[in-house]
Amino acid sequence: MPITAAQLAAAAPRVDVSRWLAPLSDAMDEFEINSAARIAGFIGQCGHESADFTRLVENLNYSADGLANTWPTRYSNGTKNAAGRWLPNSLANLLQRNPPAIANNVYANRMGNGSEASGDGWRYRGRGLIQITGLANIAEAANALGVDYVADPSQIEQPVHAARVSAWWCSKNRILPIFDKHDWLAASRAVNIGNANSQSMPHGHEDRRTRTLYALDALTGGPEAIA
């Protein structure tokens, strides 16, 4: 089912319809995001990940406290304060508020990236509606979609590429059949954790679910009650 401007505005009230209708419609058509459940699931997950389709590149401007409590095994000193928050270690204090240094440290020697000194962590930080991260993942997208994102990953910050890469990623990772089942928790796990069968609670699941159900109501004309 194609999505109209009115439907997109109703499904995601804070989205800039003039900017996103064509990129989303084309990407969803290409990758068979073509039912109310699939469109709602895609819009719900993308809306959460991108802060209402406004944030297309990863924000790594962490404080030392933020680093310690996002990656406690790497950046905390192993103790918590009276409020239950991890206390930062010396590395967190060194890296804080330096996004390139944080990215290069966090993502070094992972996801196809080189060492910290290579700069790959910052170069291939998360981009798109569903933040695709790391040289290996970006190279896979480039090969699949025929666009040289490896040479210029900033292209994924453009709406047409952000939508297309994200729709491809959902298709490749078999998230669309999860949308078909209306299993929004499994969908959140697949997107946020990378494993639909994980027993962990994905970050931001309630917001993802709320956005998805709101979009589904807009597309189907009625409330949807699911677990």
Side-chain angles (χ1 to χ4, degrees):
M1 59 177 287
I3 190 168
T4 66
Q7 285 174 323
L8 180 57
R14 292 180 289 276
V15 71
D16 182 342
V17 174
S18 64
R19 185 182 187 209
W20 284 104
L21 179 62
L24 286 172
S25 295
D26 290 346
M28 291 191 294
D29 181 63
E30 181 178 2
F31 292 100
E32 299 185 345
I33 301 174
N34 52 13
S35 68
R38 290 186 175 194
I39 293 170
F42 186 65
I43 287 174
Q45 293 293 334
C46 289
H48 174 84
E49 290 282 334
S50 65
D52 293 308
F53 299 83
T54 63
R55 186 180 64 222
L56 303 179
V57 62
E58 186 176 10
N59 177 13
L60 288 150
N61 188 27
Y62 287 95
S63 66
D65 176 81
L67 287 169
N69 286 278
T70 303
W71 295 282
T73 58
R74 183 187 292 260
Y75 297 121
S76 81
N77 66 8
T79 59
K80 292 183 177 181
N81 62 18
R85 294 187 63 78
W86 293 103
L87 296 175
N89 61 16
S90 58
L91 180 58
N93 287 316
L94 177 67
L95 296 175
Q96 66 174 323
R97 300 304 184 194
N98 187 338
I102 290 170
N104 289 329
N105 185 264
V106 168
Y107 295 137
N109 303 305
R110 297 174 54 204
M111 301 176 290
N113 290 341
S115 68
E116 188 170 354
S118 73
D120 284 351
W122 178 247
R123 186 175 302 111
Y124 300 116
R125 65 195 183 277
R127 288 183 170 89
L129 294 172
I130 293 177
Q131 305 266 301
I132 184 168
T133 308
L135 173 56
N137 293 319
I138 289 173
E140 186 179 3
N143 183 62
L145 301 177
V147 181
D148 193 356
Y149 297 128
V150 173
D152 183 9
S154 69
Q155 293 178 92
I156 305 173
E157 297 171 45
Q158 301 169 17
V160 65
H161 295 288
R164 191 170 181 233
V165 167
S166 300
W168 163 80
W169 187 89
C170 285
S171 177
K172 177 185 80 78
N173 288 287
R174 297 193 55 77
I175 295 171
L176 304 184
I178 302 174
F179 292 158
D180 292 338
K181 297 175 183 176
H182 293 203
D183 190 343
W184 311 125
L185 178 56
S188 293
R189 284 172 168 154
V191 172
N192 180 245
I193 299 171
N195 180 1
N197 298 314
S198 171
Q199 295 305 301
S200 298
M201 183 56 65
H203 177 75
H205 169 61
E206 284 305 314
D207 182 65
R208 297 169 193 269
R209 179 180 180 275
T210 297
R211 289 172 183 272
T212 298
L213 294 181
Y214 192 93
L216 193 59
D217 286 351
L219 296 167
T220 61
E224 168 90 353
I226 69 148

